[in-house]
C-alpha cells in the first residue's frame, strides 16, 4: 500500500510547517516498517519534525503508528484493568524497576515489563538482572504470558518484532542529530509501552545533573507530552518529575544494585529509594483505580516491602526467568550473604573525606562516568560489561562526615586509576550546614 505514497510530498509538508494528518503519519511509519521509504527520506523527515516540532495530536498519531508497526502483546480478557508498567528516563543508581515490578505483582497487578540495556552513563535494568547467575532476559511472548500467569511480573528484553519502526527511527535519529526532540522521544518511549497493551503507566521523568534532561522546564514538557500521548492511546498515564542530582540509593553498579534491591525488598532499603518506589507505585495504583488515593497506594506498596510479599514475587520471577531454585532461594533468604551468589569484585578501595562537615552534594554525573569507566557500563552498544565493579556510598546527602573517614567504597578489579579517583573526589561536596532538602526526590506530579 505504502508504495503509492508520495514520501517527498510528506517531507515537504512538514518542512513547510504544515501539520501532518493521522493518515500522513501512518503512511510514513508504515513505509519505515515495510522498507518502502529510503533512509535519506527518514532522516529528512526526522529533521523536519525536529526543527518544526510535533503537535500533541501529531505526537499521539506518531506513537500509535509506531506501536502498530509490529507485534503487540495480548492478554486474557479477565486481566483488563490489571496490566500496568513503569518507565524511567534513566538515572544514576536507578534500580526502582527491580523492586517496583514485584511490589506491584504483590498488590495483585500484572506487570509485563520490557526494559533496556545501559549505554554511556546510564545503567540498564537488564544488565543489572543478568548479574544474577542464570537470569534470562530473552523470553518468548508465550513464556511471558506463562510467567505473568504464575508470578504476576516479568522483566524482559525487547524482541525485534515489537515496534520495529522505533528501532529504525532511533538508529537514524542517532546519526542525524535528531535525538533530543520531545515529540520524537515521546513516540519512541510510549509506543514500546503501548505495544505491551497495558492499562496504566507511571513515568519517572528525571531532571538534574545526572539525568538526560538537565532542567525542570524541559522535563515538565516531556512529562506532559508522554502523559498526553499515553492517555490518547487509552492508557491511564501519570508522571512524576523527580530530581537526579545525586545517585539514587547507596549503590551504583550492576551486581551492587541487585544487592541493594534485595535489601530493599527485605524492608531495609535506603530512605530515598524506598520513598521513590512508594511514590511511583502509589500514583500508579491510584491512576489504575486499584487504590482510592495515591496515599493509600503508597501504604500498600510499603506493606509489600515490609511483609516479604514483594520479595517472594521477586524470588519467583527470578526462578521463572532461568535462575536455579536453590540459587534464587539463597539470594533472597533473610540474612543471606548476597555476595555468595552475586559476583563480587576482587578488590575495594575507600576514598576518605578531605574535611569535616555536611554532605551537600554527591555529583551523580561524575559517579556515573567513573562507574562506567571502571567497567560497569558501555561506551557503545554490544560491549561487554563487568557486573562486579561500582560504587558503594557510606554517606548520603545531608549526612555529617568527618575528615579522614571513608565516604565511598570503590569496587574494582585491581586499582582505581588516578584520573577516575580525581573525578570521584570532586563529586563530593561538603558544606558547613546541613542542606534543607529532605529524602523525597519527587518535585511534582503531572497527570492528564
Ligand atoms: N529511550 C527511548 O526508548 N527512546 C528515546 O528516544 C530515548 C530514550 I532519548
Amino acid at each position: 500500500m505504502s508504495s503509492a505514497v508520495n514520501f517527498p510530498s510528506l517531507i515537504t509538508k512538514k518542512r513547510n510547517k504544515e501539520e501532518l494528518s493521522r493518515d500522513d503519519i501512518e503512511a510514513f511509519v508504515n513505509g519505515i516498517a515495510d522498507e518502502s521509504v529510503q533512509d535519506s527520506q527518514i532522516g529528512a523527515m526526522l529533521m523536519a519534525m525536529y526543527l518544526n516540532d510535533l503537535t500533541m495530536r501529531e505526537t499521539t498519531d506518531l506513537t500509535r503508528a509506531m506501536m502498530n508497526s509490529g507485534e503487540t502483546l495480548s492478554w486474557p480478557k479477565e486481566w483488563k484493568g490489571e496490566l500496568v508498567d513503569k518507565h524511567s528516563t534513566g538515572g544514576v543508581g536507578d534500580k526502582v524497576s527491580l523492586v517496583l515490578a514485584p511490589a506491584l505483582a504483590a498488590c495483585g497487578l500484572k506487570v509485563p515489563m520490557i526494559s533496556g540495556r545501559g549505554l554511556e552513563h546510564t545503567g540498564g535494568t537488564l544488565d543489572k538482572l543478568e548479574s544474577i547467575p542464570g537470569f534470562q532476559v530473552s523470553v518468548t511472548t508465550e513464556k511471558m504470558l506463562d510467567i505473568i500467569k504464575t508470578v504476576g511480573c516479568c522483566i524482559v528484553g525487547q524482541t525485534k518484532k515489537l515496534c520495529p519502526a522505533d528501532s529504525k527511527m532511533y538508529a537514524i535519529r542517532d546519526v542525524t542529530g535528531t535525538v533530543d526532540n520531545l515529540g520524537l522521544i515521546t513516540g519512541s518511549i510510549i509506543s514500546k509501552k503501548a505495544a505491551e497493551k497495558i492499562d496504566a503507566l507511571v513515568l519517572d521523568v528525571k531532571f538534574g545533573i545526572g539525568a538526560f534532561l538537565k532542567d525542570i522546564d524541559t522535563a515538565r514538557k516531556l512529562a506532559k507530552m508522554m502523559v498526553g500521548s499515553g492517555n490518547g492511546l487509552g492508557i491511564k498515564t501519570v508522571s512524576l518529575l523527580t530530581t537526579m542530582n545525586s545517585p539514587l540509593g547507596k549503590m551504583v553498579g550492576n551486581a551492587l544494585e541487585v544487592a541493594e534491591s534485595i535489601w530493599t525488598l527485605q524492608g531495609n532499603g535506603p530512605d530515598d529509594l524506598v520513598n521513590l518506589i512508594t511514590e511511583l507505585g502509589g500514583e500508579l495504583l491510584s491512576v489504575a483505580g486499584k487504590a482510592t488515593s495515591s496515599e493509600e497506594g503508597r501504604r500498600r506498596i510499603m506493606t509489600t516491602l515490609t511483609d516479604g510479599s514483594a520479595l517472594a514475587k521477586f524470588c519467583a520471577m527470578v526462578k521463572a526467568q532461568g535462575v536455579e531454585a536453590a540459587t534464587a532461594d539463597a539470594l533472597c533468604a533473610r540474612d543471606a550473604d548476597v555476595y555468595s551468589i552475586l559476583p563480587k569484585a576482587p578488590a575495594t578501595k575507600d576514598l576518605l573525606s578531605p574535611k569535616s562537615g555536611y554532605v551537600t552534594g554527591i555529583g551523580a554525573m561524575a559517579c556515573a562516568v567513573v562507574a562506567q569507566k571502571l567497567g560497569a557500563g558501555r561506551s557503545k552498544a554490544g560491549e561487554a560489561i563487568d557486573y562486579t565493579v561500582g560504587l558503594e556510598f557510606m554517606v548520603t546527602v545531608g549526612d555529617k562526615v568527618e575528615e579522614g573517614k571513608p565516604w565511598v567504597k570503590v569496587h574494582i578489579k585491581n586499582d582505581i586509576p588516578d584520573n577516575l579517583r580525581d573525578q570521584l573526589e570532586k563529586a563530593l561536596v561538603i558544606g558547613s550546614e546541613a542542606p534543607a532538602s529532605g529524602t523525597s526526590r519527587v518535585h511534582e506530579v503531572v497527570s492528564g
Side-chain angles (χ1 to χ4, degrees):
M1 262 247 280
S2 52
S3 58
V5 176
N6 186 340
F7 294 121
S9 74
L10 293 181
I11 297 165
T12 309
K13 190 173 174 185
K14 190 64 201 173
R15 186 203 65 190
N16 290 348
K17 301 188 169 57
E18 287 175 55
E19 205 174 330
L20 295 175
S21 68
R22 178 167 166 172
D23 285 350
D24 293 338
I25 290 172
E26 280 174 3
F28 202 84
V29 173
N30 291 343
I32 296 172
D34 68 17
E35 298 182 2
S36 57
V37 56
Q38 297 167 24
D39 285 6
S40 56
Q41 293 173 314
I42 303 174
M45 178 61 103
L46 290 170
M47 186 56 84
M49 288 175 163
Y50 183 93
L51 294 173
N52 297 327
D53 283 325
L54 295 163
T55 63
M56 189 66 247
R57 188 205 46 77
E58 284 179 312
T59 303
T60 305
D61 288 341
L62 177 70
T63 311
R64 185 190 306 101
M66 290 169 76
M67 168 188 81
N68 287 329
S69 69
E71 235 177 52
T72 55
L73 304 182
S74 58
W75 310 109
K77 273 198 212 65
E78 59 274 20
W79 290 5
K80 189 76 201 132
E82 315 262 289
L83 288 146
V84 298
D85 198 3
K86 164 259 170 187
H87 178 82
S88 155
T89 56
V92 183
D94 186 354
K95 67 278 292 172
V96 165
S97 292
L98 276 67
V99 181
L100 186 56
L104 291 164
C107 291
L109 291 158
K110 313 273 188 254
V111 193
M113 190 179 278
I114 296 178
S115 282
R117 293 194 180 278
L119 190 60
E120 291 174 352
H121 84 280
T122 52
T125 297
L126 300 181
D127 298 317
K128 292 169 197 178
L129 285 165
E130 279 180 341
S131 70
I132 306 172
F135 194 93
Q136 295 294 324
V137 300
S138 297
V139 163
T140 62
T141 43
E142 293 76 27
K143 177 89 179 158
M144 253 181 116
L145 175 65
D146 194 42
I147 299 173
I148 297 173
K149 257 186 197 155
T150 52
V151 180
C153 62
C154 63
I155 305 180
V156 303
Q158 192 185 338
T159 68
K160 287 200 168 68
K161 291 181 187 159
L162 207 92
C163 296
D166 174 59
S167 317
K168 182 77 190 181
M169 286 166 75
Y170 193 85
I172 295 183
R173 282 166 63 205
D174 203 27
V175 294
T176 55
T178 53
V179 167
D180 55 338
N181 174 272
L182 301 184
L184 296 176
I185 296 171
T186 297
S188 173
I189 291 174
I190 303 297
S191 63
K192 286 175 281 193
K193 292 290 153 189
E196 294 174 0
K197 292 288 163 185
I198 47 174
D199 303 298
L201 173 65
V202 65
L203 301 162
D204 181 3
V205 178
K206 296 189 184 292
F207 65 97
I209 55 171
F212 167 65
L213 300 171
K214 308 295 171 209
D215 71 286
I216 182 152
D217 294 332
T218 316
R220 190 183 290 115
K221 276 189 196 148
L222 179 63
K224 285 187 172 163
M225 270 205 140
M226 294 202 291
V227 167
S229 171
N231 282 324
L233 298 187
I235 304 166
K236 293 171 183 162
T237 309
V238 63
S239 177
L240 270 60
L241 292 183
T242 71
T243 56
M244 179 31 76
N245 292 314
S246 57
L248 182 59
K250 297 202 165 170
M251 300 290 206
V252 176
N254 296 283
L256 295 172
E257 291 189 43
V258 172
E260 188 169 51
S261 301
I262 292 170
W263 298 329
T264 305
L265 287 159
Q266 291 170 339
N268 298 319
D271 293 345
D272 62 342
L273 177 62
V274 173
N275 176 271
L276 186 56
I277 291 164
T278 54
E279 292 277 351
L280 288 164
E283 288 296 337
L284 182 55
L285 285 175
S286 168
V287 79
K290 299 292 170 189
T292 53
S293 64
S294 36
E295 179 57 42
E296 190 211 321
R298 283 196 284 278
R299 274 199 302 274
R300 287 187 52 198
I301 296 287
M302 192 64 177
T303 302
T304 72
L305 301 183
T306 50
D307 72 3
S309 57
L311 179 67
K313 290 290 181 191
F314 178 84
C315 191
M317 177 184 83
V318 161
K319 287 178 191 169
Q321 291 192 235
V323 177
E324 277 187 21
T327 306
D329 289 337
L331 186 64
C332 299
R334 297 253 161 207
D335 306 320
D337 172 13
V338 291
Y339 296 118
S340 67
I341 305 294
L342 296 173
K344 194 171 183 341
T348 61
K349 183 95 192 163
D350 289 351
L351 299 194
L352 309 181
S353 175
K355 58 180 181 183
S356 298
Y358 290 93
V359 179
T360 55
I362 300 176
M365 197 58 168
C367 295
V369 169
V370 169
Q372 182 208 336
K373 298 238 168 85
L374 287 172
R378 16 179 111 73
S379 50
K380 27 181 219 295
E383 243 172 32
I385 54 171
D386 184 340
Y387 294 125
T388 67
V389 295
L391 309 173
E392 177 178 354
F393 298 97
M394 279 102 138
V395 294
T396 192
V397 174
D399 285 354
K400 251 184 172 166
V401 278
E402 259 179 66
E403 184 183 338
K405 288 277 161 64
W407 68 277
V408 62
K409 189 182 285 297
V410 189
H411 292 246
I412 41 180
K413 245 198 167 109
N414 30 57
D415 206 357
I416 172 165
D418 287 346
N419 63 326
L420 296 187
R421 173 202 283 264
D422 288 351
Q423 275 189 63
L424 197 52
E425 279 172 346
K426 288 198 189 102
L428 178 68
V429 188
I430 298 173
S432 52
E433 280 172 37
S437 57
T439 50
S440 180
R441 288 166 177 259
V442 180
H443 193 275
E444 66 192 68
V445 178
V446 175
S447 56

